[in-house]
Amino acid sequence: MPEISERGMQMPASPIRKLAPLSDAAKARGIKVYHLNIGQPDLPTLESALNAIRNIENKILEYSPSDGYRYYRENLINYYAKYNINLSADEIIITSGGSEAVLFAFLACLNPGDEIIIPEPAYANYMAFAVSTGAIIKTIPSFMETGFALPPIKEFEKLINSRTKGILICNPNNPTGYVYSPEEMEQIKEMVKKYNLYLFSDEVYREFIYTDIPYVSACHLKGIEENVILIDSVSKRYSECGIRIGALITKNKKVHDTVMKFCQARLSPPLIGQIAANASLDESEAYLRQNFEEYRSRRDFLIERLNRIPGVYSPMPMGAFYTLASLPVDDADEFCAWCLSDFQYEGETIFMAPASGFYVTPGLGKNEVRIAYVLNKTDLDKALTILEKALEAYPRKNNAFYVKNEHRAVYSKTDL
Amino acid sequence: MPEISERGMQMPASPIRKLAPLSDAAKARGIKVYHLNIGQPDLPTLESALNAIRNIENKILEYSPSDGYRYYRENLINYYAKYNINLSADEIIITSGGSEAVLFAFLACLNPGDEIIIPEPAYANYMAFAVSTGAIIKTIPSFMETGFALPPIKEFEKLINSRTKGILICNPNNPTGYVYSPEEMEQIKEMVKKYNLYLFSDEVYREFIYTDIPYVSACHLKGIEENVILIDSVSKRYSECGIRIGALITKNKKVHDTVMKFCQARLSPPLIGQIAANASLDESEAYLRQNFEEYRSRRDFLIERLNRIPGVYSPMPMGAFYTLASLPVDDADEFCAWCLSDFQYEGETIFMAPASGFYVTPGLGKNEVRIAYVLNKTDLDKALTILEKALEAYPRKNNAFYVKNEHRAVYSKTDL
């Protein structure tokens, strides 16, 4: 047989989905599985979006323009203006989810072998898109002790060389929930300007910021307008993951036109998704406010409850709907698998994403998990009881972590 | 500013869409434009698909599995069985259009620098996906004189070297409408087996074969089951281009599992598209028959009418809904642009795709255009009158082609 490609072999399995077969097997045994692993919002999709789909008038489900319908891009101008991001329709390209926006940004801006720097832990699929495009990701660790704040700029500078083409940030951050401060964004701006880098900024969780610190988008940074490529998606904000509508936004005309060539090759983003996403813009303020309150209240509940479990520690995430928690175990991959394959509590168990897949540096995040708070509080409560019981029953618990994490929890309570 | 990537610079502009700005400008001047350039079917989408969308019951538009819903993949088994293609649901991966299937096939099977051989003219976006993935496309010309039949295998063999990883065919062919005969498919099979190559087979026009020669899918070829990667899409068969639902099908488990890693990175194919595509399977036979008859009748009308225009020649396409025609001009790119920017007949003009973009070998197809017969016969008739008038008025007509093509027309009438 002909061989598969090297990048195919290098492609990481999704840390979020790789344990799915164990979860399926648990369900087949009649066990109820609480999904804390995946960022699939449980909150209902906005009714106006569902209605727009139910009322489609198209007789032919035709290709849309490669950069998406102009009416939708024009309506997006108002959406972004509310966040003080000033755009024209020609600076917005509609993509098949935020995923395609990342892929096309890398394809258009990076040569194979070019490097981008990303603070870790980071959304695992950035690594996958880097492998897909031959780009090299260099990471700088951020640490739970500081709530995963931006690492010092001098750490970035140590990695910058002639192959460095860009910095990638996710803000608010998946998986840590960290939101970069205005000071941190200013530091990033100076570095981007000084070294003439692209700034890829994934801001799909913009609606979910629970801190009072002012939100600074990469698009707010003065003087680097042509360096910025904004990655966006409607998936999370309107509970519309399945419609696959994202956006790549840039004021850099060359990048725009190059991305358009990749867009033309794949012809069109999804038609019905654009209809739904456009309808979501009409009346989303109350909906967004309600979802925001719900996620914030879940966050408060989750973190308080997590930090009461002996040996477990989570800093307080400032945004998105994830947290990274450390557990009193040596190997969270093993523990997460064990929860699905060997454990149940009253016929139920939990599916968490081991954090190792969010780190590039080997060994980091070994005892951490990502937890998505996309369950209602009753279910979250049950899931956390299961986590507590599972840790009690787990034969390979590590008490060193237990002590260390107790200390961390105290540290967090005074400082966050 | 940081530079764009080399592949970004190499990416070809779409030959189908690159003249769109001229078309838009013509429309802005009040001119009606007949679109012969793009394979966007004008026939209505199947009503059962539209109804399924209108009746969606989802409260949350959620991610689907990365390889698509199992119920849809299981229903597809019956669809393929009608064509004697025997599959299991685990051999089918649902993609965002056939485009994504081509991209993922190249990513999973080809290293940068690896070569695939494609008979030309060929669907232009194969070249774009090759540039995207660093693969090299080597082409072997097929010729209008033979109706674009498969070039001799010895021509392929001249190009095969240690970097050659695969052959790509499009059958029925876009842009030529050619359908490979059982003998040609047998020759391809022997070559694939002898040199241990992948066979990428794009068969999205399967429903539209107007010849009596038996249809042979790459999946019918015995002994190379693990070499074959089938590219498919519902876009054309159900007039559902906008839902972005395609498929990558392979019995090669390693390729399947590798493609799945790329699928997981982009999370999910479109949800609503899968609902529509699945509903299309329910009651599509009468619909497909009706569309088939309509396209066949348009083909007969188009080719007869084209060959009556002095200096124009088109062989009789056997499938799909395109033909390549040669025109009595030196440069069809210039002529197609001129039709949009400098010509009108009674306030109307035509938009054709210059064929040069479907060839890799420089100079080939210079006087050819691709015409898609996705207009009803009344409009096709008007469009052809405009073509005739445009050729009469065009200041840079080439009479050498005129004579040559008259000869070809005679040749075709006796042989096809």
Side-chain angles (χ1 to χ4, degrees), chain B residues 20 69 73 100 103 111 114 119 147 177 180 191 194 220 242 280 316:
Chain B
Y69 283 111
R73 290 184 283 121
E100 191 180 68
L103 178 68
N111 291 321
D114 279 354
Y180 294 118
M191 172 171 59
K194 180 171 172 188
H220 294 151
S280 305
M316 181 63 83

Side-chain angles (χ1 to χ4, degrees), chain B residues 144-404:
Chain B
M144 195 173 272
E145 283 78 356
T146 60
F148 301 103
L150 186 73
I153 294 296
K154 69 172 170 24
E155 297 298 318
F156 286 86
E157 290 184 320
K158 281 182 196 163
L159 293 182
I160 292 176
N161 63 57
S162 64
R163 292 311 298 265
T164 308
K165 285 285 279 292
I167 307 289
L168 188 153
I169 57 172
C170 178
N171 186 35
N173 192 274
N174 172 8
T176 69
Y178 191 79
V179 178
Y180 294 118
S181 69
E183 295 70 30
E184 287 171 325
M185 291 301 289
E186 200 60 26
Q187 291 172 2
I188 290 171
K189 182 188 91 176
E190 290 305 324
M191 172 171 59
V192 162
K193 195 192 283 183
K194 180 171 172 188
Y195 297 99
N196 191 29
L197 303 172
Y198 285 115
L199 176 56
F200 305 101
S201 187
D202 176 346
E203 304 181 5
V204 307
Y205 296 98
R206 180 184 305 113
E207 268 71 20
F208 308 117
I209 299 180
Y210 316 112
T211 160
D212 290 333
I213 299 170
Y215 157 62
V216 179
S217 163
C219 293
H220 294 151
L221 302 174
K222 303 282 176 214
I224 60 164
E225 289 80 359
E226 301 234 320
N227 302 62
V228 170
I229 294 160
L230 185 72
I231 309 295
D232 213 339
S233 164
V234 302
S235 292
K236 311 296 176 171
R237 74 177 75 121
Y238 306 125
S239 290
E240 291 175 348
C241 298
I243 65 172
R244 313 311 298 130
I245 295 297
L248 185 153
I249 291 169
T250 182
K251 291 186 177 287
N252 184 319
K253 182 91 172 53
K254 260 193 167 168
V255 172
H256 175 278
D257 293 351
T258 304
V259 169
M260 274 305 293
K261 292 196 281 183
F262 292 97
C263 288
Q264 288 187 344
R266 65 77 167 111
L267 306 168
S268 161
L271 160 72
I272 306 165
Q274 289 178 78
I275 292 171
N278 186 63
S280 305
L281 294 170
D282 290 347
E283 37 170 321
S284 59
E285 299 241 353
Y287 171 87
L288 289 173
R289 190 77 218 162
Q290 189 181 333
N291 287 8
F292 171 87
E293 296 294 353
E294 174 64 21
Y295 285 127
R296 182 168 63 178
S297 139
R298 289 180 187 181
R299 176 197 68 152
D300 295 347
F301 175 80
L302 169 72
I303 304 305
E304 204 271 330
R305 187 89 166 63
L306 267 179
N307 282 319
R308 276 198 284 133
I309 300 175
V312 174
Y313 171 68
S314 167
M316 181 63 83
M318 293 189 273
F321 41 61
Y322 309 99
T323 198
L324 270 199
S326 69
L327 306 181
V329 300
D330 280 333
D331 186 325
D333 276 88
E334 263 181 39
F335 177 68
C336 291
W338 179 87
C339 286
L340 291 165
S341 58
D342 291 283
F343 182 75
Q344 54 153 300
Y345 176 70
E346 297 179 349
E348 302 183 334
T349 193
I350 48 174
F351 187 171
M352 298 179 295
S356 58
F358 297 90
Y359 289 88
V360 171
T361 306
L364 288 184
K366 282 286 279 182
N367 72 319
E368 296 171 7
V369 292
R370 187 189 76 166
I371 293 176
Y373 38 102
V374 291
L375 302 178
N376 63 48
K377 268 182 274 180
T378 311
D379 285 349
L380 263 187
D381 189 37
K382 285 187 198 158
L384 290 166
T385 300
I386 294 166
L387 173 59
E388 185 157 12
K389 298 289 178 189
L391 285 169
E392 282 169 14
Y394 189 55
R396 291 184 293 285
K397 201 152 88 170
N398 183 326
N399 284 318
F401 280 117
Y402 178 90
V403 175
K404 189 166 155 219

